């Protein structure tokens, strides 16, 4: 049965695959540790931007795809916001560590009846890139922002290019994007268009920035990619462009002093809802 991308009966991923089901299942041992490695690489950057946009006392915030809740807790502990509603399709990691002011909400943001209220800040990081219906989701998340509030979206930008020299690292990174695209519908090709997309959604004072953490032996980001490749081996090898030996070699390269490559970056874009 062919269904439109915004039909509630249609899964977000290709061939029924969804993040957390086809790949990166939260019940598998160590998945929370993998998520936290990414948090160690990106959280300070994210929090600095959210605070620069005004997040602080009196703000009610929505953290979409909250994962283990690191951004939600930083908003409460360091920015001093009043409340964070942390939404995820599986809130196991959120409910494991209750925090005053943090309200876990188990929900599917792509559901047509998803309506958690309105917030001064709506934030989503590494979420929309895994959704086939991301254009509709930008507008939907913008509709949850109160007048004068802020929508902040962050997703990956792929820095490997066809013109770059062919390396084991590059082959494996490209196989990861292809494998996740085939199994989940992941697509980062549109992410550099975020500023224009936020303008189209009617937001003002749009801006964007990119963080590219250095790939250093033993660093959180290097360990994050190594763990991600381990967990995504099946869709990566299914592309036919890499095998297990190639993935193993790339993982060793990440932990080597010879590593000289660029990690995918985090592009963060934001826009302000017009005051009433």
């Amino acid at each position: 049965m062919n269904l439109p991308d915004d039909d509630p009966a249609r899964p977000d991923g290709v061939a029924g695959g969804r993040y957390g089901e086809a790949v990166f299942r939260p019940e598998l041992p160590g998945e929370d540790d993998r998520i936290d490695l990414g948090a160690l690489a990106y959280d300070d950057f994210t929090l600095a931007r959210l605070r620069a946009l005004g997040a602080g006392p009196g703000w009610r915030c929505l953290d979409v795809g909250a994962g283990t809740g690191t951004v939600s807790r930083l908003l409460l502990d360091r920015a001093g916001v009043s409340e964070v509603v942390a939404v995820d399709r599986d809130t196991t990691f959120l409910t494991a560590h209750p925090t005053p002011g943090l309200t876990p909400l188990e929900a599917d943001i792509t559901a047509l009846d998803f309506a958690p209220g309105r917030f001064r800040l709506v934030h989503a990081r590494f979420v929309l890139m895994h959704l086939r219906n991301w254009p509709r989701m930008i507008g939907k998340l913008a509709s949850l922002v109160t007048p004068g509030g802020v929508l902040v979206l962050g997703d990956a930008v792929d820095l490997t290019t066809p013109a770059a020299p062919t390396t084991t690292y590059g082959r494996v990174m490209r196989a990861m994007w292809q494998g996740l695209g085939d199994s989940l519908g992941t697509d980062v090709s549109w992410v550099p268009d975020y500023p224009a997309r936020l303008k189209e959604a009617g937001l003002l004072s749009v801006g964007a920035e990119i963080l590219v953490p250095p790939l250093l032996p033993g660093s959180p980001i290097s360990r994050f990619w190594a763990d991600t490749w381990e967990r995504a081996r099946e869709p990566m090898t299914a592309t036919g462009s890499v095998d297990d030996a190639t993935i193993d070699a790339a993982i060793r390269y990440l932990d080597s002093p010879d590593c000289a490559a660029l990690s995918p970056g985090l592009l963060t874009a934001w826009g302000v809802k017009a005051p009433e």
Side-chain angles (χ1 to χ4, degrees):
M1 177 170 59
N2 293 320
L3 298 170
D5 283 348
D6 60 352
D7 191 293
R10 182 188 178 99
D12 290 315
V14 176
R18 301 186 71 172
Y19 187 101
E21 294 177 355
V23 191
F24 309 131
R25 291 160 52 195
E27 69 271 19
L28 295 180
E31 179 58 15
D32 53 342
D33 294 331
R34 185 188 73 89
I35 294 171
D36 283 344
L37 286 171
L40 284 170
Y42 296 115
D43 274 1
D44 287 344
F45 175 79
T46 295
L47 181 65
R49 174 46 53 195
L50 298 181
R51 294 184 72 173
L53 291 168
W59 282 45
R60 184 169 182 258
C61 309
L62 180 69
D63 189 17
V64 177
T68 60
T70 58
V71 172
S72 299
R73 293 185 177 89
L74 287 173
L75 281 168
L76 290 163
D77 296 341
R78 295 193 197 173
V81 303
S82 298
E83 180 188 8
V84 179
V85 176
V87 61
D88 209 296
R89 288 179 54 241
D90 187 310
T91 58
T92 301
F93 301 142
L94 294 166
T95 56
H97 304 286
T99 300
L102 192 157
T103 304
L105 173 62
E106 190 161 291
D108 182 351
I109 66 167
T110 66
L112 296 181
D113 61 353
F114 176 70
R118 301 179 83 189
F119 302 83
R120 186 75 179 273
L121 166 68
V122 175
H123 169 256
R125 188 179 72 186
F126 300 132
V127 177
L128 271 60
M129 58 188 263
H130 297 298
L131 302 179
R132 289 177 59 85
N133 55 0
W134 58 266
R136 180 173 70 85
M137 292 310 304
I138 292 176
K140 184 171 186 176
L141 294 180
S143 73
L144 303 179
V145 180
T146 59
V150 184
L151 174 62
V152 183
L153 303 175
D155 275 305
V157 283
D158 180 16
L159 300 176
T160 60
T161 66
T166 300
T167 64
T168 299
Y169 169 85
R171 287 175 58 202
V172 169
M173 189 61 78
R174 285 190 287 271
M176 180 196 72
W177 293 125
Q178 182 183 345
L180 294 182
D182 293 343
S183 59
L184 305 179
T186 299
D187 181 7
V188 298
S189 65
W190 57 270
V191 173
D193 296 332
Y194 252 139
R197 298 286 181 173
L198 293 178
K199 282 280 190 181
E200 291 170 1
L203 299 180
L204 309 175
S205 301
V206 169
E209 59 189 343
I210 295 177
L211 171 70
V212 182
L215 291 172
L216 301 173
S219 65
I221 192 62
S222 294
R223 293 164 58 201
F224 170 80
W225 290 120
D227 201 1
T228 297
W229 294 342
E230 288 283 9
R231 291 169 185 270
R233 275 180 184 267
E234 185 174 348
M236 289 168 68
T237 55
T239 66
S241 59
V242 298
D243 55 18
D244 284 320
T246 307
I247 296 172
D248 290 339
I251 290 173
R252 290 194 299 270
Y253 177 73
L254 284 176
D255 201 35
S256 164
D258 295 329
C259 182
L262 288 172
S263 169
L266 166 63
L267 187 150
T268 301
W270 60 87
V272 178
K273 189 78 164 283
E276 289 182 335

